[in-house]
Amino acid sequence: MSVATTRGFLGRRKERDPRLPPGQYDVGAGWPVLTAEATPRVDAEKWSVTVDGLVDTPTTWTLRELRLLPPSVYAGDIHCVTTWSKLDTNFTGISVDTLFDAVGVRPEARYIVETSTTGYTTNLPIEDVTGGKAWLVWEHEGKPLTREHGGPVRMLVPHLYFWKSAKWISKITLLDHDEPGFWEVNGYHERGDPWREQRFDGD
Ligand SMILES: Nc1nc2c(c(=O)[nH]1)N[C@H]1C(S)=C(S)[C@@H](COP(=O)(O)O)O[C@H]1N2
Ligand SMILES: [Mo]
């Protein structure tokens, strides 16, 4: 009787973690690096990000200037389309909402394009980066974000597959139309919701 109970308990513990979206596995303590280009060396002192396009006041911030704005943290999971998920991550940075409030988003704005210093781009509907769903981050687990992972500053849109989170972010442009980015023109999904397995165009 007690043996059966123990087996039942162990069996349960092997059940799939409910935090893992369909088709994803838990990568554990590691954090794979996925970059379609050479890792650039971006000086934190010289880095800046610009928010432009359909806004009242296009604005550029240095990292020093971003640090003066109210900080915001993300604690939770991240999911890559190549099927790894990393659970319980902690990032520190600033909410994209704070930047958008500062520039004044025009009512015609419907989509964004994120651009990296490398030229990498990715697009999203504006609702996916507002309302506390997206960040610019410069710390991971309390330490400066490393170069390979997009340091000094990357975008973080954790509710979508990770290709939507541009490393070495340099610009967010607000548009009235959708403009497919690097992976989106190469067959990946427009939105990339891991819970709906929106991996490829048409999924
Ligand atoms: N600038 C830039 N950002 C990028 C990429 C890239 O190639 N260049 N790859 C994307 C993809 S496909 C993924 S899965 C994540 C990987 O982030 P990581 O290397 O920190 O895990 O970054 C995304 N952001
Ligand atoms: Mo990816």
Side-chain angles (χ1 to χ4, degrees), residues 96-127:
V96 168
D97 294 305
T98 305
L99 302 184
F100 282 10
D101 287 347
V103 295
V105 174
R106 298 233 188 105
E108 319 89 82
R110 291 277 179 277
Y111 297 92
I112 68 147
V113 173
E114 306 165 28
T115 304
S116 299
T117 58
T118 55
Y120 180 92
T121 54
T122 186
N123 60 305
L124 279 174
I126 206 166
E127 304 83 61

Side-chain angles (χ1 to χ4, degrees), residues 31-37 80 84 116 118 120 148-149 154 162-163 165-168 183:
W31 184 6
V33 172
L34 279 113
T35 310
E37 60 223 350
C80 176
W84 58 264
S116 299
T118 55
Y120 180 92
E148 312 80 71
H149 289 300
R154 79 177 297 160
F162 221 33
W163 89 80
S165 299
K167 307 201 265 193
W168 319 289
W183 285 117

